[in-house]
Amino acid sequence: ISATNPCGEIPLPAYGACDLGSLNLPQFVREPFTPQARLDLPALEAVAAEAVRLLDDVIEVSGYPLPRQREQALASFYRDWHHEALVMNQWFQVQATIPVGDTLRRVRGLLAHADFDLRNPNKVRALVGAFANQNPVQFHRIDGQGYRLLTDVVIELNGLNPQIAARLLAPLSKWRAYLGRAELMREELERLAEISGLSPDVYEVVSKSLPAD
């Protein structure tokens, strides 16, 4: 069967992808509701070009099946968008949710990346939160190292941002639901429980998650 992609009239190549975006056209109307109302075409053209470039780059980092393709796309995305903090959150998130390969090592490396800041909640959610909540294959590794990584980050965050640290613990708090992994998950909660100076936010999650003595 030969067909074109629903996003357009040009057939996609192997592993090709497309996505759609929208622009808020009223934002480009100058002097609205007056006889002088007009569409700012130069501004619209500039934003449209930037939006198309961003959507193209998002496709590049989202679905390449071959490691070499993926790494080239990630490097290209970083080169073009490293100056945009919000866009870089997508760069961190995409890497945290890669289900194959040594994603755990990748995430640990990104924690030390120059553009990552543990004091920035958005960066933490994009990298660590995405790993724990959107990458079940890697987070629930049979060796428990995904749980350990999360706990290590929570320990660091305990003194920096206890609210975010407590929210990150949500996946571990559901340890009873994971047959074959429950013991490993509980061990990490017990490791946290033994830490002195645990913030009230983190302590509340840990104490409610562990069985009463």
Side-chain angles (χ1 to χ4, degrees):
I1 298 176
S2 297
T4 57
N5 189 279
C7 282
E9 298 177 355
I10 301 176
L12 293 172
Y15 309 125
C18 73
D19 56 3
L20 298 175
S22 61
L23 293 176
N24 182 16
L25 289 179
Q27 179 182 352
F28 300 94
V29 176
R30 304 298 178 244
E31 300 184 64
F33 307 110
T34 71
Q36 292 76 37
R38 64 195 183 279
L39 189 63
D40 189 342
L41 288 176
L44 178 59
E45 290 174 357
V47 172
E50 190 79 358
V52 170
R53 176 67 178 277
L54 173 59
L55 291 172
D56 286 345
D57 285 350
V58 168
I59 288 174
E60 285 190 0
V61 299
S62 296
Y64 284 108
L66 303 178
R68 184 175 179 181
Q69 288 178 310
R70 183 172 58 242
E71 297 309 316
Q72 288 177 342
L74 286 167
S76 175
F77 190 99
Y78 181 81
R79 183 189 65 244
D80 293 338
W81 295 100
H82 67 275
H83 58 285
E84 295 286 351
L86 292 178
V87 177
M88 283 302 296
N89 290 341
Q90 179 74 21
W91 187 76
F92 283 112
Q93 182 176 345
V94 164
Q95 296 183 79
T97 54
I98 296 173
V100 296
D102 198 352
T103 302
L104 183 77
R105 179 179 295 180
R106 181 189 294 270
V107 172
R108 286 199 178 277
L110 290 171
L111 286 169
H113 194 278
D115 290 296
F116 181 81
D117 186 353
L118 197 62
R119 297 165 297 182
N120 185 319
N122 289 332
K123 289 287 185 288
V124 174
R125 282 189 286 264
L127 181 60
V128 184
F131 175 75
N133 293 287
Q134 301 174 36
N135 195 344
V137 173
Q138 295 289 332
F139 180 62
H140 295 287
R141 288 166 49 123
I142 195 170
D143 60 3
Q145 288 303 305
Y147 312 141
R148 178 158 289 268
L149 182 149
L150 178 61
T151 305
D152 290 343
V153 173
V154 168
I155 291 172
E156 284 192 69
L157 278 172
N158 180 61
L160 295 174
N161 193 329
Q163 292 80 21
I164 293 296
R167 290 171 193 158
L168 285 176
L169 281 174
L172 285 182
S173 70
K174 302 170 185 175
W175 61 273
R176 292 176 178 84
Y178 292 92
L179 219 57
R181 301 287 193 279
E183 188 62 31
L184 292 170
M185 298 173 79
R186 189 177 72 174
E187 285 176 2
E188 293 305 316
L189 289 169
E190 291 173 344
R191 181 158 75 100
L192 284 167
E194 294 173 358
I195 294 176
S196 60
L198 210 58
S199 68
D201 299 88
V202 174
Y203 176 79
E204 181 180 7
V205 176
V206 171
S207 60
K208 288 182 176 179
S209 301
L210 290 172
D213 294 332

